[in-house]
């Protein structure tokens, strides 16, 4: 597959269309002043890497500390303290379930390829909806080259590693943000260090449906 992984530790803005939906991908980095970010429609899914944040809507005002993640439907407002780093994905015309969680754990709860692990931090509320993941790479991981049917957007939150695409090696450190185009063959390796990554997926092939979900599955009608 052609292309390259985009890696940046500076403020970043990307607008991406996937499956006819528009995604606004951002890495916010504040300087000596706080920042107010407002969302008027759709939904936003975020991970706070450093600094402090406050989420406000018509129902509540909640303070967020590093390592926490959240999904909120608009209208809502995010206030970032000075020297904050926030990974954010806003999605037009998407009605998420509002949730707040964290801090993230040190390893994933589900098996992933090549001895890695994964935790679904924000799960799809219906089959096909977006999700947010923690990916854990143990030391000395040599991942198998692979690709995904849709883009991936995320951030290294701890440890170190390298991304490998078409024989090109790029170092990854905490605070580095990455964008992987759909179908791009790639892999992540680690050496003496572990590496933890937050990864956003715009779609999922797993999730509840009207016909299959825990409530209806466990409702027995004689």
């Amino acid at each position: 597959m052609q292309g390259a992984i985009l890696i940046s530790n500076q403020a970043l803005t990307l607008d991406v269309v996937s499956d006819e939906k528009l995604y606004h991908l951002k890495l916010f980095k504040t300087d000596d002043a706080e920042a107010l970010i407002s969302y008027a429609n759709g939904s936003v899914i975020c991970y706070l890497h450093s600094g402090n944040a406050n989420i406000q809507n018509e129902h509540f005002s909640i303070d967020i500390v590093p390592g926490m993640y959240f999904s909120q439907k608009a209208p809502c407002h995010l206030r970032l303290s000075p020297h904050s780093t926030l990974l954010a994905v806003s999605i037009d015309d998407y009605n998420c379930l509002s949730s707040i969680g964290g801090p993230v754990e040190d390893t994933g709860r589900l098996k992933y390829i090549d001895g890695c692990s994964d935790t679904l931090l924000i799960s799809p509320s219906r089959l096909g909806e977006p999700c947010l993941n923690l990916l854990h790479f143990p030391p000395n991981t040599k991942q198998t080259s692979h690709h995904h049917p849709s883009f991936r957007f995320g951030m290294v939150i701890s440890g170190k590693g390298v991304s490998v695409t078409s024989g090109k090696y790029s170092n990854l450190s905490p605070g580095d943000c990455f964008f992987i185009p759909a179908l791009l063959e790639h892999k992540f390796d680690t050496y003496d260090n572990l590496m933890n990554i937050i990864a956003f997926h715009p779609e999922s092939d797993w999730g509840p449906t009207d016909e299959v979900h825990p409530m209806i599955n466990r409702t027995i009608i004689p």
Side-chain angles (χ1 to χ4, degrees):
M1 303 296 178
Q2 299 298 313
I5 295 177
L6 172 64
I7 299 172
S8 175
N9 59 12
Q10 304 299 315
L12 179 70
T13 299
L14 294 171
D15 290 338
V16 180
V17 175
S18 179
D19 195 24
E20 299 183 349
K21 292 186 178 66
L22 179 59
Y23 298 83
H24 307 283
L25 316 179
K26 290 183 179 290
L27 178 64
F28 290 101
K29 297 180 78 75
T30 59
D31 49 24
D32 294 335
E34 68 177 21
L36 179 64
I37 308 160
S38 296
Y39 294 96
N41 60 75
S43 298
V44 61
I45 297 174
C46 298
Y47 172 81
L48 182 66
H49 181 62
S50 63
N52 292 282
N54 176 267
I55 309 170
Q56 295 181 9
N57 60 26
E58 61 179 340
H59 302 293
F60 59 74
S61 174
I62 297 178
D63 292 330
I64 300 297
V65 299
M68 296 184 71
Y69 48 89
F70 55 91
S71 58
Q72 291 293 311
K73 62 184 68 175
C76 66
H77 307 280
L78 309 179
R79 189 177 298 276
L80 297 180
S81 70
H83 309 293
S84 293
T85 302
L86 179 80
L87 188 79
V89 179
S90 57
I91 310 165
D92 292 353
D93 301 319
Y94 172 56
N95 185 24
C96 75
L97 275 176
S98 294
S99 65
I100 298 174
V104 296
E105 298 175 333
D106 293 332
T107 61
R109 296 188 173 212
L110 304 170
K111 288 183 179 180
Y112 188 49
I113 64 172
D114 302 308
C116 303
S117 57
D118 169 83
T119 296
L120 268 170
L121 302 176
I122 297 177
S123 300
S125 60
R126 292 186 67 92
L127 174 68
E129 290 186 348
C131 59
L132 190 71
N133 298 263
L134 168 72
L135 292 177
H136 171 72
F137 301 82
N140 301 310
T141 295
K142 301 296 181 186
Q143 210 179 34
T144 304
S145 290
H146 60 279
H147 65 270
H148 307 290
S150 56
F151 75 82
R152 299 292 181 261
F153 180 61
M155 172 190 285
V156 179
I157 62 171
S158 62
K160 294 181 179 180
V162 297
S163 70
V164 185
T165 308
S166 301
K168 179 182 177 182
Y169 289 72
S170 299
N171 293 325
L172 294 167
S173 299
D176 286 344
C177 175
F178 62 86
F179 173 78
I180 306 174
L183 304 180
L184 175 65
E185 190 169 307
H186 65 281
K187 66 173 187 159
F188 293 108
D189 291 345
T190 61
Y191 297 99
D192 295 334
N193 293 282
L194 60 78
M195 182 170 65
N196 285 329
I197 282 175
I198 295 292
F200 172 81
H201 299 193
E203 43 68 42
S204 57
D205 67 352
W206 173 90
T209 66
D210 289 331
E211 294 76 26
V212 180
H213 61 83
M215 179 62 77
I216 201 165
N217 290 352
R218 308 308 293 173
T219 298
I220 310 301
I221 300 175

